[in-house]
């Protein structure tokens, strides 16, 4: 992947306000703003893109709108990362790893019978937890290291945009909870969310942010919920004789969200239960 400097910052340039004419004084504030504003450009309608899980796509009417930022909120005991592995089979995928080295994830993908050859890993984990010589370091809570890892992430996102022109790609963050727990100003996390949102709109594909329930501060998680185009919510119930994993999708911008709750289990990938006996 080619490496280019990230140029994501923009300085605010102050300009002297133009004098208000007598004719403008008679107009309302709304009329003046509307008269000076440039009309917004009309974007083409999103196409529907398959997720890579056939029964899930059937329940969604074919898939998800292209250029969607998806927040996947999951119980960490549910093994829902398998969804990410299966999503990667739909198209070329840039996979950001924050909790394990890429070769361990690649091994899990292979063990489930999926093909990892179309996945490009971005090794955030090693960048954060290891030195250049391979020694493990403790950067947890280090504000400088935490700020630099956000910069590293934005740098790689910029390279993905440069390398993915006119190409369908997925971007996966496993996990995004890593970023929301960094010792940095909330504004920096909000900027990362904005960069992710803008990057998603620039590529023809889908971005998945995998978040672990109970591990993200509520204020930050609400920011992610608000920015996301789609929300996947996974819960897990432990009955007397079995474990039941449930998926709901309460938010899909550009489509009518489904009110159905989908049962699933993890076998050779994600197995969707099409029965409707959920209580």
């Amino acid at each position: 992947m080619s490496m280019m400097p990230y140029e994501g910052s923009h300085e605010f340039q102050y300009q002297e306000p133009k004098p208000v004419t007598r004719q403008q004084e008679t107009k309302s504030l709304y009329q003046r703003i509307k008269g000076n504003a440039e009309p917004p450009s009309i974007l083409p309608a999103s196409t529907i893109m398959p997720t890579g899980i056939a029964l899930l796509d059937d329940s969604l009417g074919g898939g998800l709108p292209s250029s969607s930022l998806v927040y996947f909120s999951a119980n960490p005991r549910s093994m829902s990362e398998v969804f990410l592995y299966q999503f990667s089979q739909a198209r070329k995928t840039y996979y950001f790893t924050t909790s394990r080295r890429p070769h361990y994830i690649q091994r899990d993908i292979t063990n489930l019978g999926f093909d990892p050859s179309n996945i490009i890993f971005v090794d955030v984990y090693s960048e954060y937890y290891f030195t250049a010589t391979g020694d493990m370091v403790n950067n947890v809570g280090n504000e400088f290291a935490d700020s630099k890892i956000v910069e590293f992430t934005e740098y790689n996102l910029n390279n993905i945009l440069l390398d993915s022109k006119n190409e369908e790609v997925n971007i996966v963050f496993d996990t995004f909870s890593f970023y929301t727990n960094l010792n940095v100003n909330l504004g920096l996390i909000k900027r990362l969310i904005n960069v992710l949102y803008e990057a998603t709109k620039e590529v023809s594909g889908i971005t998945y942010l995998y978040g672990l329930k109970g591990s993200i501060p509520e204020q930050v998680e609400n920011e992610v919920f608000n920015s996301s185009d789609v929300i996947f919510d996974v819960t897990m119930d432990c009955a007397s004789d079995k474990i039941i994993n449930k998926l709901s999708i309460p938010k899909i911008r550009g489509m009518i969200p489904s009110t159905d709750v989908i049962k699933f289990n993890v076998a050779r990938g994600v197995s969707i239960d099409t029965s409707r006996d959920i209580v």
Side-chain angles (χ1 to χ4, degrees):
M1 189 188 304
S2 62
M3 306 296 283
M4 297 289 290
Y6 178 75
E7 299 178 355
S9 61
H10 299 278
E11 295 183 0
F12 177 74
Q13 299 293 328
Y14 177 77
Q15 294 181 348
E16 289 290 341
K18 296 180 180 180
V20 179
T21 65
R22 183 173 298 276
Q23 182 181 9
Q24 288 175 320
E25 286 179 345
T26 62
K27 294 182 180 180
S28 68
L29 177 61
Y30 169 76
Q31 288 173 321
R32 278 183 277 160
I33 293 174
K34 183 179 179 182
N36 293 332
E38 294 182 2
S41 56
I42 305 300
L43 298 176
S46 299
T47 58
I48 300 300
M49 306 188 74
T51 65
I53 303 176
L55 287 177
L56 177 60
D57 290 338
D58 289 344
S59 69
L60 293 171
L64 296 173
S66 60
S67 301
S68 286
L69 179 64
V70 180
Y71 183 57
F72 198 112
S73 177
N75 186 315
R77 297 176 295 169
S78 66
M79 202 174 164
S80 296
E81 66 266 22
V82 176
F83 275 91
L84 307 179
Y85 305 161
Q86 202 154 345
F87 291 155
S88 73
Q89 302 302 289
R91 60 193 60 87
K92 181 179 177 181
T93 298
Y94 293 91
Y95 200 115
F96 286 72
T97 65
T98 65
S99 58
R100 291 184 293 158
R101 296 195 197 204
H103 59 263
Y104 297 132
I105 296 175
Q106 182 172 330
R107 181 179 62 189
D108 291 342
I109 292 172
T110 302
N111 287 342
L112 286 170
F114 297 131
D115 181 8
S117 62
N118 215 26
I119 302 175
I120 299 172
F121 289 98
V122 182
D123 191 359
V124 178
Y125 176 83
S126 296
E127 183 73 17
Y128 187 72
Y129 291 108
F130 290 88
T131 66
T133 57
D135 298 319
M136 184 172 283
V137 294
N138 179 16
N139 278 326
V140 177
N142 183 326
E143 186 174 355
F144 176 77
D146 289 0
S147 298
K148 295 299 289 183
I149 204 66
V150 174
E151 181 181 315
F152 171 81
T153 301
E154 293 181 353
Y155 173 83
N156 280 280
L157 283 170
N158 188 60
N159 286 334
I160 290 170
L161 290 182
L162 293 174
D163 290 347
S164 303
K165 296 295 185 183
N166 303 316
E167 185 180 14
E168 292 187 359
V169 300
N170 284 341
I171 302 173
V172 169
F173 279 79
D174 181 9
T175 68
F176 193 70
S177 302
F178 166 83
Y179 295 96
T180 61
N181 287 287
L182 294 175
N183 183 27
V184 295
N185 185 284
L186 177 60
L188 189 60
I189 299 302
K190 178 60 177 175
R191 189 186 78 178
L192 176 60
I193 296 170
N194 290 338
V195 168
L196 275 164
Y197 186 85
E198 294 294 331
T200 302
K201 299 308 171 189
E202 291 295 321
V203 299
S204 178
I206 302 173
T207 296
Y208 298 95
L209 309 181
Y210 185 55
L212 303 179
K213 287 181 180 293
S215 66
I216 301 176
E218 182 178 7
Q219 180 182 3
V220 179
E221 189 167 46
N222 284 336
E223 291 282 359
V224 181
F225 283 144
N226 183 60
S227 295
S228 298
D229 300 302
V230 181
I231 295 174
F232 282 18
D233 189 87
V234 171
T235 58
M236 187 178 73
D237 294 337
C238 296
S240 58
D241 59 341
K242 60 181 176 180
I243 296 173
I244 302 174
N245 291 314
K246 302 176 183 178
L247 168 66
S248 60
I249 309 175
K251 178 181 180 181
I252 308 179
R253 287 187 181 131
M255 292 174 59
I256 298 174
S258 173
T259 57
D260 293 333
V261 176
I262 302 168
K263 289 190 298 185
F264 72 91
N265 58 67
V266 175
R268 298 292 291 181
V270 176
S271 177
I272 302 292
D273 186 343
T274 57
S275 63
R276 298 300 180 201
D277 60 346
I278 295 176
V279 294

